[in-house]
Amino acid sequence: MTGDPLIARYRGLICDLDGVVYRGPTAVPQAVETLNRVTARSIPVVFATNNASRPPEDVTDHLRGLGVAPRGWSVVTSSQAAAAHLAERLERGAPVFAVGGPGVARALTEAGLTPVRVEDLDGAPVEAVVQGLGTDVTWRELAAVGRLADAGATWVATNVDLTLPTPYGRAPGNGALVALVQTATSASPYVVGKPRAALFDLARIRLGTAQSETLVCGDLLSTDIEGANSAGLDSLFVLSGASRLRDLAFAEPSARPTYVAADLSGLLAPGTPLRAGTPGSDLLRSVVTTAWAVRDAGGEVSEEDGLWEKIERQLGLVEEA
């Protein structure tokens, strides 16, 4: 492998946000500096988020407030992916029942569709339903989703994340509310958010890059990395978010990334693919590929949390206590 930065092998980057760029209101160390250096190389970035409640401009303001330079990047949300999916299938101006935060209705309007709220449903037929997360979603709205889906309306879920992080711990995500509706209906939604390919496809259209020219960066194996694989894209898994080294070592093949790094700054370092037999002396890569090889051969790998935490400290992935 050459000594060129990993990102130099690609023409566009699809990047996750929470756990990769920021943790709540605070930037992840080295993330902002790395992104500014990436865009300075004229490599465009699309931040792709399953968060359907916030419109893209709110996310943009957040990123700019953290110091991300206002050049060469944009934001796409799962609400936009849902709206794009329906815009390809419905007549312009078609009425769509919008459930969730303001980002859902905004995305539908921008796609040329007509968002309909629950108070306007009586006597106003709709052709589809988009269900996204919102802090004010009501029982009445959830009941209407099931009723309309049973009646034949196209039901699109922005994502099915069962939980989401908050400053107070984990809280029910959109997937929990979708599951609630499914207990009362025989219908199933079409899902556009991670780990499905639709959000990645929309982000790649925004970038204008081919699959082989696009890299995905994320911190969750079950959404970011599995989604990248389903969309046929290479991926960089970073350990700055919710997932740990142990999670990566026990990842199933469908959720295994192309590369691994401690944080987003790995984009600026030479990257060696996580493939058995690939030359290189990187200890982090060796630990992961060895664990995969043992498990794939039917062997056993220790699941002891304490052992994996010790390995993380030895590799410099966490600070010594």
Side-chain angles (χ1 to χ4, degrees):
M1 307 301 291
T2 69
D4 292 336
L6 169 60
I7 193 59
R9 302 173 200 167
Y10 300 91
R11 293 184 57 199
L13 173 67
I14 300 173
C15 191
D16 184 46
L17 289 167
D18 198 14
V20 178
V21 180
Y22 54 66
R23 301 186 191 102
T26 307
V28 171
Q30 303 192 70
V32 172
E33 297 87 342
T34 298
L35 289 167
N36 289 343
R37 290 178 64 183
V38 167
T39 54
R41 298 173 67 101
S42 298
I43 297 173
V45 178
V46 169
F47 297 103
T49 176
N50 265 3
N51 188 330
S53 61
R54 291 202 296 175
E57 53 265 35
D58 287 359
V59 181
T60 296
D61 290 343
H62 186 179
L63 291 170
R64 287 181 176 176
L66 294 175
V68 180
R71 60 164 184 257
W73 58 269
S74 61
V75 177
V76 296
T77 70
S78 57
S79 287
Q80 290 177 309
H85 174 78
L86 290 175
E88 292 178 353
R89 291 157 178 81
L90 303 177
E91 295 291 333
R92 186 169 183 83
V96 178
F97 180 37
V99 177
V104 177
R106 177 78 60 83
L108 290 169
T109 299
E110 291 175 350
L113 302 170
T114 304
V116 177
R117 288 299 188 183
V118 68
E119 56 268 19
D120 301 318
L121 279 179
D122 292 340
V126 298
E127 298 182 36
V129 176
V130 173
Q131 182 179 359
L133 187 64
T135 56
D136 297 322
V137 172
T138 66
W139 178 93
R140 185 183 175 194
E141 289 177 305
L142 297 178
V145 171
R147 182 177 72 252
L148 292 167
D150 272 340
T154 300
W155 179 18
V156 179
T158 58
N159 67 288
V160 286
D161 298 345
L162 290 175
T163 64
L164 75 161
T166 76
Y168 315 104
R170 293 190 177 276
N174 195 54
L177 299 184
V178 169
L180 183 62
V181 173
Q182 286 186 290
T183 63
T185 177
S186 58
S188 296
Y190 178 83
V191 182
V192 296
K194 308 172 193 178
R196 308 296 172 86
L199 182 58
F200 294 96
D201 292 341
L202 180 61
R204 191 166 57 81
I205 290 171
R206 182 81 62 88
L207 288 170
T209 54
Q211 287 173 302
S212 62
E213 301 171 329
T214 310
L215 180 69
V216 173
C217 184
D219 72 312
L220 292 177
L221 296 164
S222 61
T223 55
D224 303 312
I225 307 307
E226 187 170 338
N229 289 337
S230 70
L233 307 175
D234 287 351
S235 59
L236 170 66
F237 175 71
V238 294
L239 290 157
S240 56
S243 301
R244 304 313 314 154
L245 181 60
R246 178 186 179 280
D247 301 315
L248 179 58
F250 283 86
E252 295 301 322
S254 63
R256 291 176 182 175
T258 316
Y259 311 96
V260 62
D263 53 46
L264 203 55
S265 65
L267 291 171
L268 302 176
T272 304
L274 286 165
R275 293 194 299 266
T278 304
S281 58
D282 184 279
L283 290 176
L284 172 58
R285 183 181 61 82
S286 297
V287 168
V288 174
T289 55
T290 299
W292 288 352
V294 171
R295 295 188 67 241
D296 291 349
E300 294 186 4
V301 175
S302 174
E303 299 184 40
E304 183 185 345
D305 288 337
L307 173 62
W308 286 101
E309 290 170 1
K310 181 179 179 181
I311 294 173
E312 285 191 333
R313 290 194 296 272
Q314 291 175 335
L315 293 175
L317 299 174
V318 293
E319 294 183 2
E320 293 285 352

